[in-house]
Amino acid sequence: MVLSKSERAYQWVRGRITGREYAAGHRLVLGTIADELEMSVVPVREAIRRLEAEGLVSFERNVGARVVFLDESEYVFAMQTLGLVEGSATALSAPLLTAEDLDRALAVNDRMQALLDDFDPHEFTRLNQRFHSVLYEPCPNPHLLDLVHRGWGRLAHLRDSSFAFVPGRARHSVAEHVEIIRLIRSGADPLEIELAARNHRWRTMDAFLAARRDDGTAPNPSETP
C-alpha cells in the first residue's frame, strides 16, 4: 500500500515524538521536515494539524508548531483516578470472566511480550488497552464502567508518551498482567484483584514521573503547591 505524502509525514513526525527524538517543547519547522522527506510543505502542514488534533502538537503565535509539554499534575490526577475505578471494575468483572476471556487476554499479552525486543510504544499501548478492556468490560456497574472509559479517553494522547519515556516499564507491565490473570483465574478475593489492578496502573504513573524527574523535565509531585 502506497501512503499519501500527508500520511507519510504524519507517521514520520509522530514516530519521532513518541520515540522521544522530538522532546516536549521541540519546535517543528515545517520547511525543514519537508526537505527531510523530500516533499512540499503542504502535506507536512496537514500532518502537523492532525497531530495537533491528537494533542501531541500545539501552535504558538510567533513561534509555530511545538511538541506539547505534558501537564504532570493532570497526568497524575487522571492516572490516580483510572487506577481506582479500573481496579474496582476489574474486581467486579472477575466472577463474570470465562476461561476463554482470560485466554484471550493472555494472547494479547503474548503479543505485547513479543514487542519488547523491538519496542513500538504505539502498538504496545494499543494492545495494552485491548488487554485491560477484556478484564473490565464485563463490569455489571454501568456508572463505574463509564468512568473507566472516560479515564482512558483523558489519557488517550499521553499513553504513547508514557511508555516511550519508560520503555523498561513495559516489561514489568507484561509480567504484572500475568499475575492479574492468575489472581482472577484462581478465584482470589475481589479486594486482592482490585489492589493488583490499581497498583499496576499506579506503578506506570510512578515510573513515568520518576523518568521525567531524572530528565529534569518534571517536578516532584510532592513539591508541587
Side-chain angles (χ1 to χ4, degrees):
M1 178 180 177
V2 179
L3 299 177
S4 68
K5 290 182 178 181
S6 176
E7 180 65 24
R8 186 155 60 90
Y10 165 79
Q11 293 190 10
W12 191 88
V13 177
R14 195 181 198 284
R16 279 154 179 74
I17 294 174
T18 59
R20 297 182 65 192
E21 185 175 338
Y22 290 169
H26 180 89
R27 185 182 177 192
L28 300 172
V29 181
L30 275 59
T32 301
I33 295 172
D35 290 342
E36 181 78 18
L37 297 175
E38 298 182 344
M39 61 178 64
S40 72
V41 172
V42 174
V44 175
R45 183 179 293 111
E46 292 174 357
I48 296 301
R49 290 296 183 186
R50 184 173 169 188
L51 290 165
E52 181 187 23
E54 293 180 5
L56 293 174
V57 170
S58 64
F59 277 90
E60 300 177 29
R61 182 175 296 180
N62 300 324
V63 174
R66 285 188 182 273
V67 178
V68 298
F69 285 95
L70 175 64
D71 184 330
E72 288 84 10
S73 295
E74 191 63 30
Y75 176 80
V76 169
F77 297 152
M79 286 291 278
Q80 286 175 339
T81 302
L82 183 58
L84 289 167
V85 297
E86 186 180 19
S88 296
T90 301
L92 289 175
S93 295
L96 305 176
L97 291 166
T98 65
E100 290 75 17
D101 291 329
L102 298 179
D103 288 344
R104 182 158 51 95
L106 283 177
V108 174
N109 200 51
D110 287 344
R111 293 174 62 187
M112 296 172 69
Q113 176 79 40
L115 289 174
L116 293 177
D117 292 333
D118 186 16
F119 193 57
D120 179 344
H122 179 66
E123 179 64 9
F124 188 90
T125 291
R126 188 183 70 80
L127 292 173
N128 185 55
Q129 182 170 11
R130 180 180 297 181
F131 171 87
H132 285 288
S133 69
V134 174
L135 303 187
Y136 64 65
E137 284 296 343
C139 177
N141 184 325
H143 298 284
L144 186 59
L145 190 58
D146 179 61
L147 291 174
V148 175
H149 291 160
R150 292 187 186 188
W152 277 96
R154 288 191 186 95
L155 292 168
H157 73 285
L158 303 178
R159 287 174 286 141
D160 278 359
S161 298
S162 62
F163 280 119
F165 266 98
V166 283
R169 170 59 192 157
R171 194 171 298 277
H172 293 295
S173 183
V174 167
E176 289 165 16
H177 287 172
V178 174
E179 175 60 14
I180 293 171
I181 293 293
R182 186 194 68 78
L183 290 172
I184 295 173
R185 204 185 291 276
S186 67
D189 185 274
L191 182 58
E192 187 176 3
I193 295 171
E194 179 177 347
L195 290 175
R198 179 194 305 177
N199 290 333
H200 168 70
R201 178 70 50 216
W202 286 359
R203 287 189 191 105
T204 298
M205 173 188 71
D206 291 341
F208 178 75
L209 291 177
R212 295 278 283 179
R213 289 195 296 273
D214 289 344
D215 285 346
T217 55
N220 186 322
S222 66
E223 298 173 353
T224 302

